[in-house]
PDB file of all heavy atoms in Angstrom:
ATOM      1  N   PRO A  57     134.007  92.088 117.399  1.00  0.00           N
ATOM      2  CA  PRO A  57     134.079  92.477 115.991  1.00  0.00           C
ATOM      3  C   PRO A  57     132.710  92.902 115.469  1.00  0.00           C
ATOM      4  O   PRO A  57     131.694  92.703 116.126  1.00  0.00           O
ATOM      5  CB  PRO A  57     134.562  91.206 115.294  1.00  0.00           C
ATOM      6  CG  PRO A  57     134.193  90.098 116.210  1.00  0.00           C
ATOM      7  CD  PRO A  57     134.213  90.665 117.600  1.00  0.00           C
ATOM      8  N   VAL A  58     132.676  93.469 114.283  1.00  0.00           N
ATOM      9  CA  VAL A  58     131.445  93.928 113.660  1.00  0.00           C
ATOM     10  C   VAL A  58     130.850  92.775 112.865  1.00  0.00           C
ATOM     11  O   VAL A  58     131.508  92.230 111.980  1.00  0.00           O
ATOM     12  CB  VAL A  58     131.718  95.131 112.730  1.00  0.00           C
ATOM     13  CG1 VAL A  58     130.452  95.561 112.023  1.00  0.00           C
ATOM     14  CG2 VAL A  58     132.328  96.266 113.522  1.00  0.00           C
ATOM     15  N   TYR A  59     129.626  92.400 113.199  1.00  0.00           N
ATOM     16  CA  TYR A  59     128.944  91.344 112.458  1.00  0.00           C
ATOM     17  C   TYR A  59     127.796  91.942 111.668  1.00  0.00           C
ATOM     18  O   TYR A  59     127.197  92.932 112.073  1.00  0.00           O
ATOM     19  CB  TYR A  59     128.410  90.269 113.408  1.00  0.00           C
ATOM     20  CG  TYR A  59     129.503  89.473 114.066  1.00  0.00           C
ATOM     21  CD1 TYR A  59     129.748  89.604 115.419  1.00  0.00           C
ATOM     22  CD2 TYR A  59     130.292  88.604 113.325  1.00  0.00           C
ATOM     23  CE1 TYR A  59     130.753  88.885 116.024  1.00  0.00           C
ATOM     24  CE2 TYR A  59     131.303  87.884 113.924  1.00  0.00           C
ATOM     25  CZ  TYR A  59     131.526  88.022 115.276  1.00  0.00           C
ATOM     26  OH  TYR A  59     132.534  87.313 115.862  1.00  0.00           O
ATOM     27  N   CYS A  60     127.500  91.329 110.567  1.00  0.00           N
ATOM     28  CA  CYS A  60     126.431  91.811 109.700  1.00  0.00           C
ATOM     29  C   CYS A  60     125.148  91.035 109.957  1.00  0.00           C
ATOM     30  O   CYS A  60     124.739  90.221 109.138  1.00  0.00           O
ATOM     31  CB  CYS A  60     126.838  91.678 108.234  1.00  0.00           C
ATOM     32  SG  CYS A  60     128.129  92.821 107.778  1.00  0.00           S
ATOM     33  N   ASN A  61     124.558  91.233 111.067  1.00  0.00           N
ATOM     34  CA  ASN A  61     123.262  90.635 111.358  1.00  0.00           C
ATOM     35  C   ASN A  61     122.246  91.748 111.485  1.00  0.00           C
ATOM     36  O   ASN A  61     122.551  92.840 111.976  1.00  0.00           O
ATOM     37  CB  ASN A  61     123.300  89.842 112.657  1.00  0.00           C
ATOM     38  CG  ASN A  61     124.088  88.561 112.521  1.00  0.00           C
ATOM     39  OD1 ASN A  61     124.304  88.077 111.416  1.00  0.00           O
ATOM     40  ND2 ASN A  61     124.516  88.020 113.637  1.00  0.00           N
ATOM     41  N   ASP A  62     121.037  91.466 111.054  1.00  0.00           N
ATOM     42  CA  ASP A  62     119.970  92.434 111.204  1.00  0.00           C
ATOM     43  C   ASP A  62     119.405  92.316 112.618  1.00  0.00           C
ATOM     44  O   ASP A  62     119.415  91.240 113.208  1.00  0.00           O
ATOM     45  CB  ASP A  62     118.876  92.169 110.162  1.00  0.00           C
ATOM     46  CG  ASP A  62     117.906  93.325 110.082  1.00  0.00           C
ATOM     47  OD1 ASP A  62     118.325  94.472 110.296  1.00  0.00           O
ATOM     48  OD2 ASP A  62     116.723  93.071 109.813  1.00  0.00           O
ATOM     49  N   LEU A  63     118.954  93.413 113.140  1.00  0.00           N
ATOM     50  CA  LEU A  63     118.435  93.432 114.498  1.00  0.00           C
ATOM     51  C   LEU A  63     116.915  93.510 114.471  1.00  0.00           C
ATOM     52  O   LEU A  63     116.340  94.528 114.123  1.00  0.00           O
ATOM     53  CB  LEU A  63     119.019  94.628 115.263  1.00  0.00           C
ATOM     54  CG  LEU A  63     120.543  94.687 115.292  1.00  0.00           C
ATOM     55  CD1 LEU A  63     121.002  95.951 115.985  1.00  0.00           C
ATOM     56  CD2 LEU A  63     121.117  93.466 115.971  1.00  0.00           C
ATOM     57  N   MET A  64     116.277  92.427 114.847  1.00  0.00           N
ATOM     58  CA  MET A  64     114.828  92.345 114.884  1.00  0.00           C
ATOM     59  C   MET A  64     114.398  92.959 116.197  1.00  0.00           C
ATOM     60  O   MET A  64     114.881  92.531 117.237  1.00  0.00           O
ATOM     61  CB  MET A  64     114.403  90.878 114.807  1.00  0.00           C
ATOM     62  CG  MET A  64     112.949  90.635 115.028  1.00  0.00           C
ATOM     63  SD  MET A  64     111.907  91.079 113.690  1.00  0.00           S
ATOM     64  CE  MET A  64     112.069  89.713 112.587  1.00  0.00           C
ATOM     65  N   PHE A  65     113.664  93.878 116.325  1.00  0.00           N
ATOM     66  CA  PHE A  65     112.915  94.697 115.411  1.00  0.00           C
ATOM     67  C   PHE A  65     113.512  96.085 115.375  1.00  0.00           C
ATOM     68  O   PHE A  65     114.371  96.389 116.188  1.00  0.00           O
ATOM     69  CB  PHE A  65     111.421  94.733 115.792  1.00  0.00           C
ATOM     70  CG  PHE A  65     111.138  95.159 117.217  1.00  0.00           C
ATOM     71  CD1 PHE A  65     110.959  96.476 117.555  1.00  0.00           C
ATOM     72  CD2 PHE A  65     111.069  94.210 118.223  1.00  0.00           C
ATOM     73  CE1 PHE A  65     110.697  96.862 118.860  1.00  0.00           C
ATOM     74  CE2 PHE A  65     110.800  94.592 119.525  1.00  0.00           C
ATOM     75  CZ  PHE A  65     110.608  95.910 119.854  1.00  0.00           C
ATOM     76  N   SER A  66     113.077  96.920 114.470  1.00  0.00           N
ATOM     77  CA  SER A  66     113.674  98.237 114.267  1.00  0.00           C
ATOM     78  C   SER A  66     113.355  99.186 115.430  1.00  0.00           C
ATOM     79  O   SER A  66     112.205  99.517 115.666  1.00  0.00           O
ATOM     80  CB  SER A  66     113.151  98.829 112.962  1.00  0.00           C
ATOM     81  OG  SER A  66     113.536 100.180 112.849  1.00  0.00           O
ATOM     82  N   GLY A  67     114.392  99.612 116.123  1.00  0.00           N
ATOM     83  CA  GLY A  67     114.212 100.558 117.233  1.00  0.00           C
ATOM     84  C   GLY A  67     113.827 101.948 116.751  1.00  0.00           C
ATOM     85  O   GLY A  67     113.059 102.651 117.410  1.00  0.00           O
ATOM     86  N   HIS A  68     114.356 102.348 115.588  1.00  0.00           N
ATOM     87  CA  HIS A  68     113.993 103.657 115.040  1.00  0.00           C
ATOM     88  C   HIS A  68     112.511 103.695 114.683  1.00  0.00           C
ATOM     89  O   HIS A  68     111.816 104.668 114.992  1.00  0.00           O
ATOM     90  CB  HIS A  68     114.841 103.972 113.795  1.00  0.00           C
ATOM     91  CG  HIS A  68     116.274 104.188 114.096  1.00  0.00           C
ATOM     92  ND1 HIS A  68     117.219 103.232 113.871  1.00  0.00           N
ATOM     93  CD2 HIS A  68     116.922 105.253 114.625  1.00  0.00           C
ATOM     94  CE1 HIS A  68     118.401 103.697 114.245  1.00  0.00           C
ATOM     95  NE2 HIS A  68     118.256 104.927 114.703  1.00  0.00           N
ATOM     96  N   THR A  69     112.022 102.649 114.065  1.00  0.00           N
ATOM     97  CA  THR A  69     110.606 102.605 113.703  1.00  0.00           C
ATOM     98  C   THR A  69     109.740 102.586 114.952  1.00  0.00           C
ATOM     99  O   THR A  69     108.730 103.292 115.022  1.00  0.00           O
ATOM    100  CB  THR A  69     110.317 101.365 112.830  1.00  0.00           C
ATOM    101  OG1 THR A  69     111.144 101.434 111.666  1.00  0.00           O
ATOM    102  CG2 THR A  69     108.870 101.307 112.426  1.00  0.00           C
ATOM    103  N   ALA A  70     110.137 101.806 115.945  1.00  0.00           N
ATOM    104  CA  ALA A  70     109.362 101.739 117.185  1.00  0.00           C
ATOM    105  C   ALA A  70     109.283 103.110 117.859  1.00  0.00           C
ATOM    106  O   ALA A  70     108.214 103.534 118.299  1.00  0.00           O
ATOM    107  CB  ALA A  70     109.974 100.709 118.128  1.00  0.00           C
ATOM    108  N   SER A  71     110.397 103.824 117.913  1.00  0.00           N
ATOM    109  CA  SER A  71     110.413 105.157 118.532  1.00  0.00           C
ATOM    110  C   SER A  71     109.539 106.144 117.756  1.00  0.00           C
ATOM    111  O   SER A  71     108.779 106.912 118.350  1.00  0.00           O
ATOM    112  CB  SER A  71     111.838 105.695 118.600  1.00  0.00           C
ATOM    113  OG  SER A  71     112.653 104.840 119.331  1.00  0.00           O
ATOM    114  N   ASN A  72     109.645 106.106 116.428  1.00  0.00           N
ATOM    115  CA  ASN A  72     108.846 107.027 115.603  1.00  0.00           C
ATOM    116  C   ASN A  72     107.352 106.741 115.724  1.00  0.00           C
ATOM    117  O   ASN A  72     106.543 107.665 115.842  1.00  0.00           O
ATOM    118  CB  ASN A  72     109.267 106.938 114.135  1.00  0.00           C
ATOM    119  CG  ASN A  72     110.630 107.515 113.908  1.00  0.00           C
ATOM    120  OD1 ASN A  72     111.037 108.461 114.570  1.00  0.00           O
ATOM    121  ND2 ASN A  72     111.361 106.931 112.979  1.00  0.00           N
ATOM    122  N   VAL A  73     106.991 105.473 115.691  1.00  0.00           N
ATOM    123  CA  VAL A  73     105.574 105.116 115.810  1.00  0.00           C
ATOM    124  C   VAL A  73     105.053 105.470 117.193  1.00  0.00           C
ATOM    125  O   VAL A  73     103.925 105.964 117.332  1.00  0.00           O
ATOM    126  CB  VAL A  73     105.368 103.620 115.480  1.00  0.00           C
ATOM    127  CG1 VAL A  73     103.969 103.158 115.831  1.00  0.00           C
ATOM    128  CG2 VAL A  73     105.653 103.360 114.010  1.00  0.00           C
ATOM    129  N   LEU A  74     105.854 105.260 118.232  1.00  0.00           N
ATOM    130  CA  LEU A  74     105.419 105.613 119.588  1.00  0.00           C
ATOM    131  C   LEU A  74     105.149 107.108 119.704  1.00  0.00           C
ATOM    132  O   LEU A  74     104.130 107.520 120.273  1.00  0.00           O
ATOM    133  CB  LEU A  74     106.466 105.180 120.617  1.00  0.00           C
ATOM    134  CG  LEU A  74     106.112 105.473 122.073  1.00  0.00           C
ATOM    135  CD1 LEU A  74     104.861 104.710 122.494  1.00  0.00           C
ATOM    136  CD2 LEU A  74     107.274 105.129 122.982  1.00  0.00           C
ATOM    137  N   MET A  75     106.030 107.927 119.155  1.00  0.00           N
ATOM    138  CA  MET A  75     105.805 109.380 119.208  1.00  0.00           C
ATOM    139  C   MET A  75     104.561 109.769 118.417  1.00  0.00           C
ATOM    140  O   MET A  75     103.776 110.616 118.844  1.00  0.00           O
ATOM    141  CB  MET A  75     107.028 110.133 118.678  1.00  0.00           C
ATOM    142  CG  MET A  75     108.200 110.105 119.613  1.00  0.00           C
ATOM    143  SD  MET A  75     107.831 110.656 121.295  1.00  0.00           S
ATOM    144  CE  MET A  75     107.327 112.316 121.019  1.00  0.00           C
ATOM    145  N   SER A  76     104.360 109.139 117.284  1.00  0.00           N
ATOM    146  CA  SER A  76     103.171 109.416 116.478  1.00  0.00           C
ATOM    147  C   SER A  76     101.902 109.026 117.225  1.00  0.00           C
ATOM    148  O   SER A  76     100.905 109.759 117.201  1.00  0.00           O
ATOM    149  CB  SER A  76     103.271 108.661 115.153  1.00  0.00           C
ATOM    150  OG  SER A  76     102.162 108.923 114.359  1.00  0.00           O
ATOM    151  N   LEU A  77     101.926 107.887 117.897  1.00  0.00           N
ATOM    152  CA  LEU A  77     100.760 107.459 118.682  1.00  0.00           C
ATOM    153  C   LEU A  77     100.514 108.390 119.865  1.00  0.00           C
ATOM    154  O   LEU A  77      99.374 108.685 120.209  1.00  0.00           O
ATOM    155  CB  LEU A  77     100.947 106.021 119.162  1.00  0.00           C
ATOM    156  CG  LEU A  77     100.885 104.946 118.088  1.00  0.00           C
ATOM    157  CD1 LEU A  77     101.320 103.599 118.650  1.00  0.00           C
ATOM    158  CD2 LEU A  77      99.492 104.860 117.500  1.00  0.00           C
ATOM    159  N   PHE A  78     101.593 108.841 120.479  1.00  0.00           N
ATOM    160  CA  PHE A  78     101.465 109.778 121.599  1.00  0.00           C
ATOM    161  C   PHE A  78     100.818 111.076 121.132  1.00  0.00           C
ATOM    162  O   PHE A  78      99.937 111.617 121.790  1.00  0.00           O
ATOM    163  CB  PHE A  78     102.850 110.057 122.200  1.00  0.00           C
ATOM    164  CG  PHE A  78     102.913 109.888 123.672  1.00  0.00           C
ATOM    165  CD1 PHE A  78     103.127 108.634 124.216  1.00  0.00           C
ATOM    166  CD2 PHE A  78     102.754 110.961 124.518  1.00  0.00           C
ATOM    167  CE1 PHE A  78     103.189 108.471 125.575  1.00  0.00           C
ATOM    168  CE2 PHE A  78     102.804 110.816 125.880  1.00  0.00           C
ATOM    169  CZ  PHE A  78     103.031 109.556 126.421  1.00  0.00           C
ATOM    170  N   ILE A  79     101.263 111.575 119.977  1.00  0.00           N
ATOM    171  CA  ILE A  79     100.694 112.804 119.429  1.00  0.00           C
ATOM    172  C   ILE A  79      99.227 112.604 119.085  1.00  0.00           C
ATOM    173  O   ILE A  79      98.384 113.468 119.346  1.00  0.00           O
ATOM    174  CB  ILE A  79     101.503 113.277 118.197  1.00  0.00           C
ATOM    175  CG1 ILE A  79     102.857 113.802 118.655  1.00  0.00           C
ATOM    176  CG2 ILE A  79     100.750 114.333 117.404  1.00  0.00           C
ATOM    177  CD1 ILE A  79     103.836 114.074 117.531  1.00  0.00           C
TER     178      ILE A  79
END
Side-chain angles (χ1 to χ4, degrees):
V58 177
Y59 292 111
C60 290
N61 288 340
D62 193 32
L63 304 176
M64 172 75 80
F65 54 89
S66 170
H68 292 102
T69 302
S71 301
N72 290 327
V73 170
L74 181 63
M75 287 307 298
S76 181
L77 290 170
F78 231 85
I79 289 170

